[in-house]
Amino acid sequence: MTLATAVRSLTRDDLHTLLYWMRLTRAFDDRVRLLYNQGRIPGAAFSQRGHEAISVGSSFALGPDDVVAPMHRDLGAYLLRGMTPRRIMAQMMGRVTGVSRGRDVNTHGMGDLSLNIIGYVSPLPDSMPLAVGAALAFQYRGEARVALTYFGDGSSSEGGCHESLNLAAVWRAPVVFICENNQYAYSTPLSRQLTVENIADRAAGYGFPGIVVDGNDVLAVYEATQAAMARARRGDGPTLIECKTMRMLGHAYHDDGSYVPRDLLDEWSRRDPLLVYERQLRDLGALTDDELAALDRRIAAQVDDAVDFAEASPWPAGEDCLEGVYAL
Ligand SMILES: Cc1ncc(C[n+]2csc(CCOP(=O)(O)OP(=O)(O)O)c2C)c(N)n1
Ligand SMILES: [Mg+2]
């Protein structure tokens, strides 16, 4: 992809919309980290830093009726698809106004079918078979809808990943698989679990295209996803897009990630997805200092508002905790 190709299909408004979602994702995540360190987040919180271009660039390619099955580093997809900062912050803080009404305190299970967001499934990579199932339902009903889902490099070694890729291929399911290759699965580096260079190469074994993109380039991610969505909608079946990136902080905020070599992080920090995109926009003459400052002010106010809303919301009542629980 060249910058020019993606830019041709996007208006200036589109470019700024992408910028907004990426910077909101970063600001929201930075605030969650701060709140976690202050003891104001009762559960775990997964770092999103380094993943913003993937979750935002890919979900920006979705049509209104398409579904997304995010994983734990896809805050950008949740936000972009309409889950409000208030609701997500209340979820992180375990309040009744959160997505699970205080039954869980992080992204586990976080979804809303009215927004076409399938809840994140904790055992990895079980959002994949769900997305394939949704895609098969669309195909069966003759609906021109597509399912988009995500999995990590570590998750790519699990059986459910291979079963999902194979079944999607055999049934030509309208599904797009995004692999977020961030070099680590908790403390396990890639070299400990892969002998191939690209996870995308595995798609050939199932008989469909596998593409490698720079996961820190939001326009590259968007363009690849858009092409894969169009292919799925035409009835030509799945695509695997491997987005190469780096998990810039620990696995979650309880983990200092000190096992990750410092020079690797330094190298990737020069390719931070927000910096890359800001540079691209400035090179295009599509961003001024004033615009960026105004955008960041608006985002900071939104994040402040989300925290105020969450902290003003009540904790769930103990007697409600079994409501909607069907098996114990
Ligand atoms: C089946 C299963 N085993 C273990 C876990 C605990 N776990 C949560 S995230 C994670 C690391 C996953 O690594 P990867 O797929 O590379 O995604 P990343 O966290 O790096 O984005 C692990 C081991 C889990 N959720 N499910
Ligand atoms: Mg990983």
Side-chain angles (χ1 to χ4, degrees):
M1 197 219 53
T2 61
L3 177 59
T5 343
V7 164
R8 262 205 302 277
S9 64
L10 296 172
T11 63
R12 195 178 192 280
D13 273 359
D14 290 335
L15 294 172
H16 278 241
T17 302
L18 283 169
L19 183 71
Y20 165 73
W21 292 119
M22 283 177 74
R23 294 182 87 87
L24 177 63
T25 303
R26 172 70 57 90
F28 189 99
D29 183 44
D30 281 347
R31 187 67 64 91
V32 167
R33 188 167 73 257
L34 180 70
L35 294 167
Y36 179 88
N37 289 334
Q38 292 172 337
R40 289 155 78 191
I41 300 272
F46 302 101
S47 65
Q48 308 288 318
R49 188 170 280 247
H51 284 254
E52 298 89 345
I54 303 175
S55 58
V56 170
S58 56
S59 53
F60 193 65
L62 288 163
D65 295 329
D66 297 330
V67 298
V68 64
M71 67 145 184
H72 51 286
R73 300 201 201 278
D74 295 316
L75 172 63
Y78 282 106
L79 290 166
L80 195 149
R81 294 300 281 176
M83 202 172 266
T84 62
R86 281 183 167 202
R87 227 175 138 204
I88 302 176
M89 194 59 87
Q91 171 75 9
M92 302 306 292
M93 292 191 162
R95 307 306 167 102
V96 287
T97 48
V99 188
S100 69
R101 289 176 290 136
R103 284 133 204 277
D104 201 345
V105 284
N106 63 33
T107 47
H108 286 283
M110 195 164 92
D112 184 341
L113 289 179
S114 73
L115 297 172
N116 285 324
I117 303 174
I118 296 176
Y120 165 56
V121 188
S122 309
L124 295 166
D126 289 351
S127 293
M128 293 178 78
L130 281 190
V132 175
L136 288 172
F138 300 153
Q139 185 189 59
Y140 181 77
R141 297 196 297 234
E143 296 171 352
R145 299 165 73 187
V146 178
L148 173 70
T149 192
Y150 305 84
F151 64 104
D153 44 287
S155 309
S156 77
S157 305
E158 291 278 339
C161 174
H162 300 277
E163 292 165 22
S164 303
L165 297 175
N166 190 54
L167 198 62
V170 170
W171 285 344
R172 293 170 87 84
V175 57
V176 177
F177 300 104
I178 306 267
C179 177
E180 306 193 37
N181 182 350
N182 63 4
Q183 328 274 332
Y184 279 82
Y186 215 123
S187 55
T188 306
L190 271 187
S191 58
R192 290 279 184 102
Q193 61 167 322
L194 284 181
T195 54
V196 291
E197 194 187 335
N198 300 314
I199 293 166
D201 294 346
R202 293 184 171 168
Y206 302 109
F208 62 85
I211 296 159
V212 176
V213 302
D214 178 352
N216 285 16
D217 180 343
V218 69
L219 296 174
V221 174
Y222 166 70
E223 184 164 66
T225 312
Q226 204 199 27
M229 301 281 303
R231 180 185 139 82
R233 227 182 288 282
R234 281 197 307 271
D236 291 341
T239 305
L240 169 56
I241 302 170
E242 177 183 0
C243 299
K244 307 261 194 198
T245 188
M246 179 72 204
R247 196 194 71 205
M248 296 305 292
L249 293 166
H251 172 71
Y253 292 129
H254 61 269
D255 167 27
D256 70 4
S258 51
Y259 46 82
V260 179
R262 191 66 249 174
D263 50 350
L264 193 58
L265 293 172
D266 288 346
E267 183 193 320
W268 280 90
S269 67
R270 287 190 285 279
R271 295 162 56 192
D272 178 281
L274 268 65
L275 283 183
V276 169
Y277 192 45
E278 189 186 327
R279 250 183 253 135
Q280 286 171 334
L281 292 182
R282 286 187 191 276
D283 288 351
L284 287 165
L287 182 67
T288 66
D289 290 346
D290 286 350
E291 282 174 325
L292 190 60
L295 184 70
D296 284 345
R297 273 197 303 276
R298 183 176 143 213
I299 287 171
Q302 254 185 302
V303 175
D304 287 345
D305 169 75
V307 177
D308 292 345
F309 171 81
E311 286 199 314
S313 298
W315 296 97
E319 56 269 29
D320 292 342
C321 72
L322 292 183
E323 190 200 317
V325 176
Y326 300 107
L328 287 172

